[in-house]
Amino acid sequence: MSHRRRSHAAVAPPPPEGDGGGSSPGKAGRIRPWPERRVLALAMAFRAANALLVRTYFNPDEHWQCLEVAHRIAFGYGHLTWEWKRGLRGYLHPLIFAALYKFLAFLHLDTPWFMAMAPRLLQSVFASFGDLYLYKLSKLIFNEHVAQWTLFSQLVNWFMFFCITRTLSNSLETVLTVAGLYYWFVAIESSKGISVISKQQATSYQSPQSRKMALLIAALACAIRPTSAITWLYVGLLDFIQIKFKCQFLFLEVIPLGAIVLAVTTFLDWWMHGSWVIVPLNFLKFNLFSSGGDYYGTHVFHWYFTQGLIAWVLGVYSILGHKEFRFVLPVLPLALMFSGYCLAAMSQFKGKTPHRKRHFSRLQLSVIFLIITNVPMALYMSLLHQRGTEDVMFYLSKEAHDGRVKGVLFLMPCHSTPYYSTLHSSLPMRFLDCTPSDNKGILDESDRFLMNPLDFVGEVFGNLSSFSHIVLFESEERHVLELLSRNSFQEVRRFFHSHFKIDRALQSSVAVYSTMDVL
């Protein structure tokens, strides 16, 4: 994405009100600007509804790398995965939601519904600011008309709807990336004005506060997800090449702000981990130099180009073996800006062919196409696909709240459900561990169970007497049905999960079995 720098011969005058400026689409007619407060209000209402409609399971990190950690901080119990024990994760992101949990507890609102929905509602607030800053960024780079269509593209996009209100670190990283880019481009626009001042004046010129804000937001994005540096390295290098006072920029802005954020986050990690841990360094060593992320699966180098978005980020991410769509979520809003640009360009031709008034215009057809290809997908993925593992934990949390749960065993692939952050009861629970082994070839509990469910359960858990509830997918249920019956377990609830195959088998439903004494 270029910076669209104007000629340095003179300072460009501001565009007339309502026009939006620039040579971008939409200049032909006067476009009424939308007040930013109205845009934010619209975004907040939309994202709140978005958060309430997301009732499905997407990626374990939403719960296990954020909410589970936050719950442990706030209430003293919650499971820490192996990444936290190795210092691969930082506490900055979970601490935000730990504060939310403390607030709910203070108000005595830590009930099953609030524990399940409040984190996504908080994330929806962050997401709405991401929508606002995308609107402002599009307006700054293009014009008001493009900004309005970009906002439409952002709100209608199914994957953004599906992801942005989840408590994934990628979601907050996306918001910070868009906000940071806005301030970065504001600084670029501001710096154009000094091209006509004298050299002596330029020497004493101090960079605008907006660039410092951009650098601070970029540092926070990198603190939350170290891979955000991929985006900011590219953006920074583009301007660094053209900046006259490179040493001033590097030593008086980039390094001090980065050092402050690194010091604060390292202090937080020291406080929480109990020892000095430099998370970005550990993260880089594990995921890049040792290919540790490959444990969760590898993909061909062209996966992002053939399945996903934007050249530089995709190119660098393609070096890593382990790939996921959510990793490139931060560049999706940038792609949607160009969707807004195209829609705005189409709108210029509206009404120029009066003999075809009875037919839909290209703009109308494009809008209809975007709606019918995105809205059903957004609703299906958010309301139906893989909702069983969320529903079962909400059910168990209500049962535990009423004192009808003594212990839970999850006989399903590891991290298939939320955990204590949703149950919100300090009861014994057990899931199949999948911590990577230092010795290659050694199967984890999750793989051993899927290879031979009956023998594994009998060998590891014995007579199952320490559990009152057992949760498993329908695809594994038939293998241990006799064992469950022998131990006086019977089915009490069944939740729909998915219509088609996920990973190894069709996990069409999630079954809950319970012993007779708690029915």
Side-chain angles (χ1 to χ4, degrees):
M1 186 171 64
S2 68
H3 288 176
R4 298 176 65 249
R5 296 183 184 275
R6 297 189 185 98
S7 171
H8 292 292
V11 181
E17 181 67 24
D19 186 70
S23 57
S24 303
K27 190 177 179 180
R30 291 181 64 84
I31 304 300
R32 179 179 298 177
W34 291 350
E36 290 180 3
R37 289 183 180 180
R38 185 177 299 175
V39 173
L40 181 59
L42 169 66
M44 281 192 166
F46 183 86
R47 292 304 177 195
N50 185 171
L52 294 173
L53 286 172
V54 173
R55 308 304 295 269
T56 56
Y57 198 79
F58 172 41
N59 186 278
D61 284 10
E62 176 182 5
H63 300 283
W64 294 84
Q65 303 297 354
C66 177
L67 299 184
E68 195 64 22
V69 183
H71 192 276
R72 184 184 179 94
I73 296 169
F75 300 106
Y77 62 97
H79 184 85
L80 294 183
T81 61
W82 61 272
E83 293 100 325
W84 293 91
K85 298 169 185 176
R86 294 192 185 182
L88 298 176
R89 303 281 181 174
Y91 277 92
L92 179 60
H93 186 227
L95 280 169
I96 297 170
F97 295 93
L100 172 65
Y101 284 148
K102 281 289 190 182
F103 181 70
L104 291 177
F106 176 75
L107 297 178
H108 303 289
L109 291 176
D110 51 332
T111 61
W113 189 89
F114 276 101
M115 291 299 294
M117 299 308 302
R120 285 178 180 167
L121 285 170
L122 176 59
Q123 176 59 33
S124 76
V125 175
F126 300 145
S128 63
F129 278 94
D131 296 332
L132 172 64
Y133 275 104
L134 180 61
Y135 171 84
K136 294 171 67 173
L137 178 62
S138 303
K139 184 177 178 179
L140 181 68
I141 294 177
F142 299 108
N143 58 38
E144 175 71 31
H145 200 190
V146 173
Q148 293 174 3
W149 281 113
T150 297
L151 182 63
F152 166 78
S153 300
Q154 169 95 338
L155 297 183
V156 81
N157 183 267
W158 80 265
F159 192 66
M160 189 62 67
F161 188 94
F162 179 61
C163 283
I164 198 64
T165 61
R166 297 180 184 272
T167 53
L168 293 162
S169 58
N170 311 89
S171 301
L172 188 54
E173 176 197 10
T174 300
V175 173
L176 291 173
T177 298
V178 174
L181 286 174
Y182 167 74
Y183 286 109
W184 189 265
F185 275 82
V186 168
I188 291 172
E189 293 295 318
S190 301
S191 67
K192 292 171 184 174
I194 67 167
S195 60
V196 295
I197 65 178
S198 68
K199 184 177 180 181
Q200 183 179 0
Q201 289 172 310
T203 303
S204 62
Y205 172 75
Q206 297 297 322
S207 63
Q209 292 301 312
S210 53
R211 189 163 71 183
K212 291 184 173 65
M213 178 64 76
L215 290 170
L216 177 62
I217 293 174
L220 289 173
C222 293
I224 288 173
R225 276 196 72 79
T227 49
S228 191
I230 295 171
T231 301
W232 287 103
L233 180 63
Y234 176 77
V235 172
L237 283 175
L238 283 181
D239 267 358
F240 186 74
I241 294 170
Q242 303 178 60
I243 288 176
K244 291 183 178 179
F245 309 106
K246 291 180 171 57
C247 290
Q248 178 180 324
F249 170 67
L250 190 62
F251 292 104
L252 297 183
E253 296 181 41
V254 176
I255 292 178
L257 284 170
I260 290 171
V261 172
L262 180 61
V264 171
T265 54
T266 300
F267 173 77
L268 288 176
D269 292 332
W270 166 79
W271 181 38
M272 300 303 301
H273 280 287
S275 60
W276 287 110
V277 174
I278 303 178
V279 170
L281 180 61
N282 292 343
F283 185 93
L284 184 67
K285 289 166 62 177
F286 181 81
N287 286 284
L288 184 60
F289 298 130
S290 68
S291 300
D294 294 358
Y295 179 80
Y296 293 105
T298 59
H299 304 76
V300 293
F301 77 94
H302 57 73
W303 193 85
Y304 285 122
F305 294 97
T306 56
Q307 303 292 333
L309 291 169
I310 291 191
W312 164 263
V313 174
L314 304 187
V316 177
Y317 268 113
S318 296
I319 298 172
L320 305 176
H322 181 59
K323 299 173 175 65
E324 295 184 37
F325 284 117
R326 65 187 177 93
F327 292 169
V328 292
L329 183 65
V331 298
L332 179 55
L334 307 184
L336 293 174
M337 278 204 307
F338 295 99
S339 170
Y341 181 91
C342 292
L343 290 170
M346 289 180 189
S347 69
Q348 292 187 78
F349 300 99
K350 186 178 179 181
K352 290 190 177 181
T353 53
H355 61 284
R356 298 184 61 187
K357 283 184 178 179
R358 295 182 180 178
H359 299 280
F360 288 111
S361 67
R362 286 198 307 168
L363 175 65
Q364 290 171 325
L365 288 173
S366 298
V367 169
I368 292 170
F369 176 76
L370 287 175
I371 290 173
I372 64 175
T373 55
N374 280 276
V375 174
M377 186 70 165
L379 294 175
Y380 177 77
M381 295 296 291
S382 301
L383 288 170
L384 293 174
H385 181 60
Q386 295 194 98
R387 72 168 294 156
T389 51
E390 294 271 339
D391 288 342
V392 71
M393 287 307 299
F394 185 59
Y395 162 75
L396 288 173
S397 69
K398 292 189 293 184
E399 292 291 290
H401 187 265
D402 295 334
R404 291 194 290 266
V405 178
K406 297 179 181 178
V408 186
L409 172 62
F410 297 88
L411 293 178
M412 49 200 351
C414 65
H415 308 142
S416 293
T417 69
Y419 212 50
Y420 283 111
S421 57
T422 299
L423 187 76
H424 193 46
S425 293
S426 185
L427 298 169
M429 293 202 294
R430 177 75 155 84
F431 67 95
L432 303 181
D433 183 61
C434 60
T435 301
S437 173
D438 293 331
N439 299 319
K440 292 184 178 180
I442 296 180
L443 298 177
D444 57 41
E445 289 186 351
S446 186
D447 288 329
R448 288 165 56 199
F449 169 75
L450 292 173
M451 288 181 63
N452 195 331
L454 185 61
D455 288 350
F456 175 82
V457 174
E459 175 188 340
V460 177
F461 301 110
N463 60 10
L464 306 176
S465 59
S466 58
F467 304 103
S468 63
H469 289 74
I470 293 179
V471 182
L472 67 169
F473 285 121
E474 180 271 339
S475 54
E476 280 79 48
E477 180 184 15
R478 64 183 184 275
H479 298 296
V480 295
L481 196 56
E482 183 181 345
L483 177 64
L484 295 177
S485 178
R486 225 171 32 235
N487 286 273
S488 301
F489 282 88
Q490 66 181 53
E491 181 183 333
V492 290
R493 289 296 297 270
R494 185 173 294 269
F495 300 92
F496 165 77
H497 188 61
S498 65
H499 287 112
F500 48 88
K501 181 178 178 180
I502 303 167
D503 295 331
R504 299 175 176 89
L506 172 61
Q507 298 166 345
S508 57
S509 62
V510 178
V512 183
Y513 282 77
S514 181
T515 52
M516 300 292 292
D517 59 334
V518 296
L519 295 179

